[in-house]
Amino acid sequence: MIERITCNADLEEGMAALAAIHPHWQDIVERTGLPPLRLREGGFPGLAAIIVSQQLSVASARAVWTRFESVFQPLTPERLLAATDDDMRLSGLSRPKQRTLLALAAALTEERFAFEMLEGATPEQVHALMTAITGIGPWTADVYLLFCLGHRDGFAAGDLAIQEAARHAFGLGERPKPAELAAMAEAWRPWRGVAARLLWAYYAVLKRREGINA
């Protein structure tokens, strides 16, 4: 059974644990306060929403998702696989996102992948299972791991905002590469899921106060 982040008490426990690991975490906590839980629906609709929103602003992602949902009712793998060219055109999705969603739908209907496989899996196992599907990369797997599964030890070393926040917070000379940040984050286990939320919140503080760009 995986350890999950389900409430603010879990966040507070993780924040205290991180502050005990490194004094920089205490500085981060003082600037961010309690970060958002950001938990969201899982399963096919949840992962589809993550895929649709990739590389879009919040407003654009919301508009495209609303349009996509209006076309695909009910939102199931079977409905997506039965899509016509007109359906795809009306959905507003880019070709790469269409291909990714169709690959996911096929993997589910052919039983090569099931969301139940992720229950109880380690972050590394979740990555391996999800990225085996064409078009799903590490960032998508990380976001699902963190916010749909609520995994306590999920992380997103490839996220630019997290990298930039870590650079500022830990006084690094340059933005860490994913492998470098992942190595740093080993010290934050088993609370990397809280570390990720804090770094996202810290990035928001930096962007608002100092005008940084990722």
Side-chain angles (χ1 to χ4, degrees), residues 4-196:
R4 299 182 187 275
I5 295 170
T6 62
C7 60
N8 286 342
D10 294 334
L11 291 176
E12 289 167 350
E13 184 182 352
M15 290 159 70
L18 290 168
I21 291 171
H22 198 293
H24 284 172
W25 281 114
Q26 184 59 45
D27 295 338
I28 293 170
V29 166
E30 288 173 1
R31 296 192 69 178
T32 64
L34 192 71
L37 275 169
R38 297 173 66 178
L39 297 178
R40 57 197 298 175
E41 178 184 12
F44 183 67
L47 183 51
I50 294 168
I51 293 167
V52 168
S53 67
Q54 283 176 208
Q55 299 177 321
L56 295 177
S57 68
V58 173
S60 296
R62 188 178 295 117
V64 174
W65 178 248
T66 299
R67 187 173 173 181
F68 175 77
E69 274 194 308
S70 71
V71 173
F72 293 102
Q73 290 291 338
L75 183 51
T76 63
E78 292 78 11
R79 172 67 184 92
L80 198 66
L81 290 171
T84 63
D85 289 341
D86 280 346
D87 288 336
M88 287 301 189
R89 178 178 54 79
L90 289 170
S91 75
L93 293 181
S94 66
R95 291 288 185 184
K97 289 180 181 181
Q98 290 178 29
R99 289 193 291 270
T100 300
L101 286 168
L102 288 170
L104 171 62
L108 288 164
T109 58
E110 294 166 11
E111 298 183 352
R112 291 182 282 108
F113 174 78
F115 288 99
E116 291 77 15
M117 297 163 68
L118 309 181
E119 298 295 328
T122 66
E124 293 75 20
Q125 290 167 337
V126 170
H127 258 235
L129 289 165
M130 294 186 72
T131 58
I133 299 168
T134 301
I136 294 182
W139 185 88
T140 302
D142 285 330
V143 172
Y144 191 89
L145 185 69
L146 282 160
F147 303 123
C148 296
L149 292 177
H151 199 299
R152 187 173 77 172
D153 203 33
F155 196 61
D159 187 87
L160 294 180
I162 286 185
Q163 292 169 7
E164 186 66 11
R167 181 177 78 83
H168 279 254
F170 292 92
L172 305 178
E174 58 185 15
R175 183 189 298 162
K177 294 180 173 60
E180 294 167 342
L181 186 54
M184 279 182 64
E186 285 297 311
W188 308 335
R189 288 183 184 268
W191 289 106
R192 294 185 304 168
V194 174

